[in-house]
Amino acid sequence: MFINKLNQLYKPKRILYYVDASKEDILAFYKGVVPPSVEKYSNVFGTYDYPGLFFVRNLQKEVIGIEFRDNDPRIEYPSNLKSVELDASFFYSVEIDDDVEIDFPFIKNLFEEIAKEDNAHRPYSDLCIEEDPKVISVFHGYKKIRILHEWKLYNDKAIHVMCNNFDQFEKKDLYKSAFTDMITGTFNWNYLEAFLEVPGDRKIEDYAFAHFDVKQFRVINEAYGHIAANKVLNNIVKTMNEADFVYASARCHNDNFAMLLKDMPEPELRKKLKDFFEKLSVLEEDPFYKIYYKCGVVPMQRAMLSGNRVADAAKMAQALCTNQKGTEIIFYTDKMHDDISWGNYVKAYVETAVEQNEFVVYLQPKFNIKTEKIKGAEALIRWNYKNKEFLPPYRFIPFFEKDGSIAKIDDLVLTKVCEAMGRWKKDGKPLYPISVNLSRSCMYDEKLIDKLVGIVDSYGVDHHLIDFELTESATYDNMEHMLSVLQELRDCGFKISMDDFGTGYSSLSLLTQMPIDTLKIDKSFVDPIAAANERKEDIIVLRHIIDLAKELGFVCLAEGAESRTQVDRLRDLGCEIIQGYYYSKPIPLEEYEEKYL
């Protein structure tokens, strides 16, 4: 039998509305069947819990019912059920498999055993089992049974905290509360921070620093219970205290820990930490469950320069641990610091940059491969940072994509493109379609279609002149929603392109569903052709992509052609449109207008 010890909880004075339960009713309850007269009150306003089976001492029998808050005029209390008042009580909650046969003696024995190893100690109160409980309740969920057994409060320090009764605490207790962790008994972050501020007080001349947590600790807590989870925490503390390379350590909060480490070469320290975490990889309750960790390490030089801010650096490195499986140990570097600091600055500065008109639109022309005449262009964003220097896209686009502000940039690009096209239309100049990016983060904007149509229409631009590009390498949580958004845009008369085809995650079956007009073959497929090390396999793949696009009715565009030989080869393979440096690099709007319009 698997026992998940959940928590200790408090229920105030309440009313139990119930029906008498026969043996047949009880058997049905354990199979998930609740009498309709009780079931209909599940989750209504004022209920404290779900319908359950109750052993009530005053009734001297088992009943099936549901608990309501007492004396509330807003509640519609059941009029067709019997009722009994229940006093305020503390309970210990456990969860077991629903294939276990339950009765009152079984529950009594179960909690007597639990009490032997867990006296329900909490930071500000202590509970012990109530040997003659007034009520025990049982609730049935998905393949689980939750049992609440009454416990009694015998040590209440919470009242002194709430009432600011400082004189009720000994100095030792106050020190313990301030500098130790209530669950594991080890020191907390407040204690460890003193080492970072004045390490010399403990003769520590230099140190490395590590911050780590348990991967998917919540799963352990919920699946195996808080007792099992607390064992994991205590095992970590025990191992930290025994490690010969740890000066000082602390449990910071939840499953987060920090350690001051003896300085040593990176390979040696990595090996020490790997062995350290391997000792902590087994869950006592289930030897088949593997515990993994993510750890950020700050080497000595950077740790000494960071002082009491060293934890921030360690957390930066730790945040780069992204795999669900396996323990990860990542060492903090200056480049990591520069990248993260720059990313945070960029996110904070983007609004100012927009207001200062620092973002500039460039257009890269697209050419008909047969006539070699202009066919359209792609709009690309450039950042004239503080109007002093142009930043390459990799210095800002990934950061905007990560925090969602790329949607603001997409709107800005569309606005600038439509503004230019509206002016060109007014001046009687020829107009060619221009493609603009449509980011993943935009997809969840409920007003996306209205917003895009509003921008385009405000400048009097025909919808067929705007081509929205969707990056194939981006992942989408809700493909069905994405497809419906694309179809709605297409129904509005806009063109749709799939960018970077071949580099992402789209399946061929999804390609048949997507309402797209143009398939853009990624530069990585174009680079190998007409090269000294050209392989026939590369040509075969490229030819089939082009044939596939044409058979599905898409226009086929190849990106990144840089030589005449590549252009000729793409023409021979059946490609229709070229976008690449051979014809033109991205150029400012004004130059595009002067050169092609």
Side-chain angles (χ1 to χ4, degrees):
M1 178 180 64
F2 179 71
I3 304 174
N4 184 352
K5 300 163 188 175
L6 297 174
N7 53 5
Q8 303 96 42
L9 51 90
Y10 169 77
K11 286 190 176 183
K13 184 178 179 182
R14 58 212 183 280
I15 304 174
L16 172 64
Y17 288 88
Y18 68 91
V19 294
D20 294 327
S22 64
K23 288 185 177 179
E24 291 75 18
D25 292 332
I26 293 172
L27 288 173
F29 173 83
Y30 286 127
K31 293 180 180 179
V33 179
V34 177
S37 58
V38 175
E39 173 67 24
K40 69 179 183 178
Y41 294 106
S42 180
N43 292 319
V44 302
F45 177 73
T47 55
Y48 277 120
D49 215 322
Y50 302 98
L53 176 67
F54 294 81
F55 300 85
V56 183
R57 189 175 69 188
N58 289 348
L59 297 177
Q60 291 296 306
K61 59 183 177 182
E62 302 167 353
V63 298
I64 295 175
I66 190 165
E67 300 162 301
F68 276 82
R69 181 169 57 235
D70 186 20
N71 195 27
D72 188 331
R74 300 166 297 178
I75 295 175
E76 294 185 23
Y77 294 102
S79 58
N80 59 331
L81 300 176
K82 300 176 183 178
S83 65
V84 60
E85 287 190 358
L86 301 177
D87 293 332
S89 306
F90 291 90
F91 292 91
Y92 194 111
S93 171
V94 304
E95 194 175 70
I96 62 174
D97 298 327
D98 67 354
D99 56 359
V100 178
E101 215 171 296
I102 294 178
D103 56 20
F104 184 79
F106 168 85
I107 294 174
K108 187 174 177 61
N109 291 334
L110 173 66
F111 280 89
E112 285 176 350
E113 289 300 315
I114 290 173
K116 291 177 183 178
E117 63 176 60
D118 183 10
N119 67 350
H121 168 74
R122 302 185 295 183
Y124 304 110
S125 61
D126 293 289
L127 303 173
C128 63
I129 190 170
E130 180 66 73
E131 295 183 1
D132 187 19
K134 296 176 183 176
V135 61
I136 296 172
S137 45
V138 180
F139 304 91
H140 186 271
Y142 178 70
K143 296 187 177 181
K144 297 292 180 182
I145 292 173
R146 178 167 53 93
I147 307 172
L148 270 60
H149 188 292
E150 189 175 358
W151 286 46
K152 63 183 177 181
L153 178 69
Y154 69 88
N155 182 18
D156 181 5
K157 292 180 286 186
I159 184 66
H160 303 316
V161 176
M162 296 177 196
C163 297
N164 298 322
N165 295 331
F166 309 118
D167 57 343
Q168 296 296 317
F169 293 94
E170 299 288 337
K171 285 184 179 181
K172 183 180 179 181
D173 293 332
L174 292 175
Y175 180 89
K176 187 176 180 182
S177 296
F179 298 109
T180 62
D181 169 51
M182 296 290 189
I183 291 178
T184 64
T186 194
F187 293 109
N188 62 21
W189 176 253
N190 293 336
Y191 174 85
L192 192 64
E193 195 166 22
F195 283 78
L196 300 176
E197 290 187 7
V198 195
D201 284 351
R202 290 294 298 270
K203 304 288 189 290
I204 298 174
E205 295 182 355
D206 54 46
Y207 54 86
F209 183 89
H211 191 280
F212 67 92
D213 67 11
V214 183
K215 288 187 177 181
Q216 301 199 14
F217 184 70
R218 179 179 56 81
V219 173
I220 299 174
N221 229 326
E222 294 181 2
Y224 298 94
H226 76 279
I227 301 297
N230 286 349
K231 280 184 184 177
V232 172
L233 301 179
N234 279 290
N235 286 339
I236 291 172
V237 168
K238 181 175 182 291
T239 306
M240 289 194 302
N241 290 338
E242 293 173 350
D244 61 1
F245 64 104
V246 177
Y247 283 128
S249 60
R251 180 188 179 213
C252 304
H253 61 88
N254 298 333
D255 60 317
N256 287 262
F257 294 84
M259 301 184 292
L260 267 71
L261 309 172
K262 293 179 180 178
D263 183 42
M264 60 191 76
E266 182 178 321
E268 185 180 349
L269 182 53
R270 185 182 293 276
K271 176 69 166 57
K272 288 267 189 185
L273 288 169
K274 186 177 179 182
D275 293 343
F276 171 85
F277 290 121
E278 186 60 33
K279 289 180 183 177
L280 297 166
S281 63
V282 179
L283 184 67
E284 289 183 22
E285 285 70 16
D286 184 354
F288 297 103
Y289 185 93
K290 189 84 168 176
I291 305 174
Y292 299 116
Y293 300 83
K294 51 184 179 181
C295 177
V297 183
V298 184
M300 184 274 290
Q301 183 187 44
R302 174 54 72 172
M304 300 306 292
L305 293 173
S306 300
N308 63 353
R309 298 293 303 275
V310 68
D312 294 338
K315 290 175 186 177
M316 283 184 186
Q318 183 183 343
L320 298 177
C321 300
T322 55
N323 294 333
Q324 292 298 316
K325 293 292 185 180
T327 291
E328 294 175 273
I329 302 168
I330 294 183
F331 279 71
Y332 181 84
T333 64
D334 286 340
K335 183 180 183 303
M336 191 183 301
H337 174 267
D338 293 342
D339 287 347
I340 293 172
S341 298
W342 168 250
N344 291 333
Y345 173 74
V346 162
K347 286 183 283 188
Y349 184 71
V350 63
E351 297 288 348
T352 302
V354 171
E355 290 297 321
Q356 298 296 325
N357 201 30
E358 294 180 17
F359 291 104
V360 181
V361 171
Y362 274 47
L363 297 180
Q364 184 171 29
K366 304 173 185 177
F367 288 86
N368 183 310
I369 199 169
K370 291 182 179 178
T371 65
E372 296 198 325
K373 291 184 178 180
I374 190 164
K375 185 74 176 178
E378 179 183 2
L380 301 167
I381 192 69
R382 296 291 183 264
W383 187 357
N384 187 7
Y385 177 62
K386 296 189 176 181
N387 293 308
K388 293 179 180 178
E389 62 172 322
F390 278 87
L391 300 178
Y394 74 84
R395 288 287 285 154
F396 60 94
I397 293 294
F399 301 107
F400 291 157
E401 287 177 337
K402 191 172 182 180
D403 78 337
S405 57
I406 190 66
K408 184 184 293 292
I409 303 302
D410 288 347
D411 291 348
L412 185 148
V413 171
L414 178 62
T415 300
K416 286 181 176 285
V417 165
C418 290
E419 183 182 30
M421 294 184 81
R423 187 175 68 253
W424 297 335
K425 180 180 179 181
K426 187 176 180 181
D427 293 344
K429 300 192 176 194
L431 299 178
Y432 303 101
I434 294 179
S435 57
V436 297
N437 188 53
L438 189 65
S439 301
R440 174 179 59 176
S441 58
C442 298
M443 288 292 175
Y444 304 101
D445 182 352
E446 295 179 357
K447 299 179 180 179
L448 176 65
I449 306 298
D450 291 340
K451 180 179 68 175
L452 297 178
V453 170
I455 293 173
V456 177
D457 288 352
S458 66
Y459 292 99
V461 176
D462 293 338
H463 289 193
H464 74 275
L465 292 172
I466 300 298
D467 186 339
F468 288 109
E469 287 195 6
L470 201 69
T471 302
E472 194 250 358
S473 57
T475 55
Y476 296 90
D477 300 326
N478 189 334
M479 285 294 184
E480 188 175 334
H481 174 71
M482 182 265 288
L483 292 173
S484 69
V485 170
L486 295 182
Q487 186 60 58
E488 195 169 349
L489 284 171
R490 207 158 181 247
D491 291 343
C492 290
F494 297 112
K495 301 295 184 182
I496 304 293
S497 294
M498 178 186 281
D499 197 11
D500 301 336
F501 179 75
T503 63
Y505 311 99
S506 295
S507 66
L508 292 178
S509 62
L510 181 62
L511 191 62
T512 64
Q513 302 173 51
M514 292 185 71
I516 62 176
D517 300 282
T518 301
L519 193 69
K520 299 184 70 174
I521 301 173
D522 187 70
K523 184 179 185 297
S524 60
F525 289 94
V526 176
D527 288 341
I529 65 173
N533 58 345
E534 179 184 284
R535 302 184 310 151
K536 67 177 183 179
E537 292 86 353
D538 294 325
I539 301 299
I540 291 171
V541 170
L542 186 56
R543 184 177 70 246
H544 280 290
I545 291 175
I546 293 170
D547 290 343
L548 175 66
K550 295 173 78 171
E551 287 195 42
L552 289 172
F554 306 147
V555 173
C556 187
L557 182 153
E559 297 181 282
E562 297 180 356
S563 70
R564 183 75 218 182
T565 310
Q566 286 178 324
V567 171
D568 291 341
R569 182 64 65 88
L570 287 166
R571 183 191 298 109
D572 294 341
L573 290 172
C575 188
E576 300 161 277
I577 309 292
I578 292 289
Q579 178 184 338
Y581 274 38
Y582 174 74
Y583 286 112
S584 175
K585 64 181 182 180
I587 56 178
L589 279 167
E590 297 76 13
E591 185 178 340
Y592 174 85
E593 177 184 357
E594 181 181 343
K595 198 168 183 178
Y596 299 107
L597 305 186

